[in-house]
Amino acid sequence: MLGDGADPAQARLDPRLAESFHTVALYEERYVLLTGVADKLARRPTTTWTEASRLPLCLLTTSMQGRRVLDDVFAGLGLRPTPRVETDSVASLFAHVRAGRWASIVPYAWLHVFGVPHGMQAVPLVEPDHSAPIGLVAAAREPGSVIARALVETARRTDTAAVLERLAHPPGS
């Protein structure tokens, strides 16, 4: 999507993108361990990446950027977990965890799509506290499409991080 520069895309922000693209930061992506409520780690307020690496994991395939981010975090800790299941679908990660045999590591923002399904717990990962900036990326060419300009302007006026937090903690919860 970013290759031809025709359409805006949501992507991890990298300072090198600013040379050829307009970027608008949206939120900081954090990661959670998604596991069954019966797992001992599900009863804790946080868990470490090291502890998560020891679980029977279901992860995205290594061809996907989201998996490469996880592998980089694990490598920084000197770890190389071997997932029992790999998929190219975040929805499949949730389905496999729901089956009760595996755990997964998913971006926090995906909880707003799927929620935390019954029988599962999302536990924030720490040590290290890893986050990555996510933003809107659009070609820096002029005049650019009307839709791309409108989307970038809307993104600049919207506090996406606050919206995600409100979804995670609705009033009265």
Side-chain angles (χ1 to χ4, degrees):
M1 207 182 274
L2 293 178
D4 65 10
D7 298 315
Q10 181 177 322
R12 281 178 178 72
L13 296 181
D14 182 310
R16 295 173 290 188
L17 288 174
E19 298 169 11
S20 303
F21 298 92
H22 295 293
T23 61
V24 180
L26 297 174
Y27 63 95
E28 286 288 320
E29 185 153 81
R30 304 180 315 256
Y31 294 89
V32 296
L33 173 69
L34 189 64
T35 190
V37 293
D39 188 299
K40 66 179 181 177
L41 296 179
R43 295 185 288 276
R44 296 178 35 197
T46 62
T47 191
T48 68
W49 288 82
T50 300
E51 291 166 324
S53 74
R54 297 180 191 128
L55 297 173
L57 291 173
C58 174
L59 298 176
L60 294 172
T61 63
T62 57
S63 65
M64 300 188 73
Q65 175 65 25
R67 170 64 181 277
R68 291 191 296 270
V69 169
L70 301 182
D71 286 347
D72 288 347
V73 174
F74 284 127
L77 295 167
L79 301 170
R80 189 166 186 243
T82 305
R84 307 263 175 95
V85 176
E86 291 183 313
T87 180
D88 63 358
S89 162
V90 174
S92 290
L93 295 176
F94 277 74
H96 279 85
V97 173
R98 185 165 188 146
R101 295 186 180 130
W102 303 280
S104 190
I105 297 171
V106 298
Y108 176 77
W110 276 101
L111 298 178
H112 305 297
V113 176
F114 295 105
V116 179
H118 179 74
M120 291 192 240
Q121 187 69 31
V123 183
L125 285 159
V126 296
E127 296 179 31
D129 288 324
H130 177 79
S131 66
I134 301 297
L136 184 67
V137 180
R141 63 178 184 216
E142 297 302 331
S145 78
V146 172
I147 292 174
R149 287 194 312 267
L151 185 57
V152 167
E153 185 54 38
T154 299
R156 285 188 174 127
R157 290 191 318 259
T158 304
D159 186 351
T160 304
V163 170
L164 289 173
E165 288 302 316
R166 279 194 305 275
L167 288 171
H169 308 288
S173 65

